[in-house]
Amino acid sequence: MTARESPATALDTAIEQVVGDLAVLHHDHLRGLLPPERAALAAIHQELMAAESAVAYHRNVLTRLSSGSYPVNTPLLDRLRRTVHDLAQATAARDRLHEGVAAALEAVKAAAPAPADDELTPRDFAALLSLAGGGTMREHLLTHRVSVRTVQGRLVELPAFQRLEAHGLVTRDTSRALTVGQPVTLTDTGRTALLGTRRSPAMAAPVPARPAGAWPAPARHH
């Protein structure tokens, strides 16, 4: 089961605001590409997702047993008591892991502080390039996660998008609801940064090329 197929946890949005897409985090963790702090976060987040699955399982069993489909007798009452006990244990384990994930996230923040306001990383520019054709910011109706996708469907890391937006390189149509989807486009500043149209003074006035076969220009004497 992948990160996206597993039940959402209460900390998923907070994690993605720091490290980006969770699927990418777990993908890189499986391949040993993460620094220690992020690897620890990915590992305990995986445990938290499993704990959320256990809570959901026992809750579903309890719902099924209490649905009225079974006769109320001693075996049913015993089964209900065992299920409630199992659900309580699964919830306690989930809550302990929740605290562990929160601590691991703080360790990641301390180890990798956010770039300064005037600093854009290579990944930020890669995000800017991927949004050249446009994109959409949308909030999931059930999980309330906010994500940004390009027109090609590629997921853009939310922290990178937020830095691009803070620098005035991208803009979105805030007149539309996030649950519907806010179109994202590059600003003039963003297109300028992407295309590299800022030229140095030395490049502003190139010397005209002389026709082929022309005599050399006379030397200028100062």
Side-chain angles (χ1 to χ4, degrees):
M1 181 177 290
T2 66
R4 288 300 177 187
E5 293 170 343
S6 299
T9 76
L11 288 172
D12 286 0
T13 299
I15 294 172
E16 289 189 324
Q17 288 175 347
V18 176
V19 303
D21 184 53
L22 279 169
V24 174
L25 178 74
H26 288 287
H27 175 275
D28 290 349
H29 180 234
L30 287 174
R31 284 154 182 77
L33 302 176
L34 297 177
E37 293 80 9
R38 292 198 177 203
L41 174 62
I44 195 169
H45 181 260
Q46 191 76 39
E47 294 182 39
L48 178 59
M49 289 191 297
E52 288 285 6
S53 296
V55 169
Y57 169 77
H58 293 301
R59 182 175 56 194
N60 289 338
V61 172
L62 184 61
T63 300
R64 187 172 69 252
L65 292 175
S66 58
S67 64
S69 301
Y70 301 93
V72 179
N73 51 29
T74 299
L76 177 63
L77 295 176
D78 290 341
R79 183 77 184 278
L80 284 169
R81 281 191 287 268
R82 289 197 302 272
T83 303
V84 170
H85 177 265
D86 292 341
L87 178 59
Q89 287 192 319
T91 301
R94 188 272 315 274
D95 291 346
R96 288 192 298 270
L97 286 167
H98 184 279
E99 294 176 359
V101 170
L105 181 58
E106 290 303 315
V108 170
K109 291 179 181 179
D117 291 340
D118 59 349
E119 180 183 355
L120 289 178
T121 69
R123 298 183 78 170
D124 295 336
F125 282 105
L128 183 65
L129 178 61
S130 69
L131 288 168
T136 304
M137 172 178 273
R138 180 174 283 111
E139 179 182 356
H140 195 281
L141 284 172
L142 298 179
T143 66
H144 300 293
R145 288 183 186 167
V146 176
S147 61
V148 180
R149 290 189 180 274
T150 68
V151 291
Q152 294 82 15
R154 176 185 174 188
L155 191 67
V156 176
E157 292 186 356
L158 188 58
F161 175 82
Q162 290 170 332
R163 287 192 290 273
L164 296 178
E165 189 174 37
H167 282 76
L169 302 178
V170 294
T171 185
R172 53 192 169 96
D173 184 1
T174 56
S175 66
R176 296 169 60 95
L178 268 177
T179 51
V180 175
Q182 296 178 346
V184 173
T185 56
L186 266 62
T187 63
D188 290 341
T189 303
R191 284 187 288 271
T192 299
L194 187 61
L195 298 176
T197 54
R198 294 176 181 152
R199 308 166 85 184
S200 65
M203 297 175 61
V207 177
R210 293 182 61 77
W215 288 97
R220 294 182 179 178
H221 299 285
H222 299 283

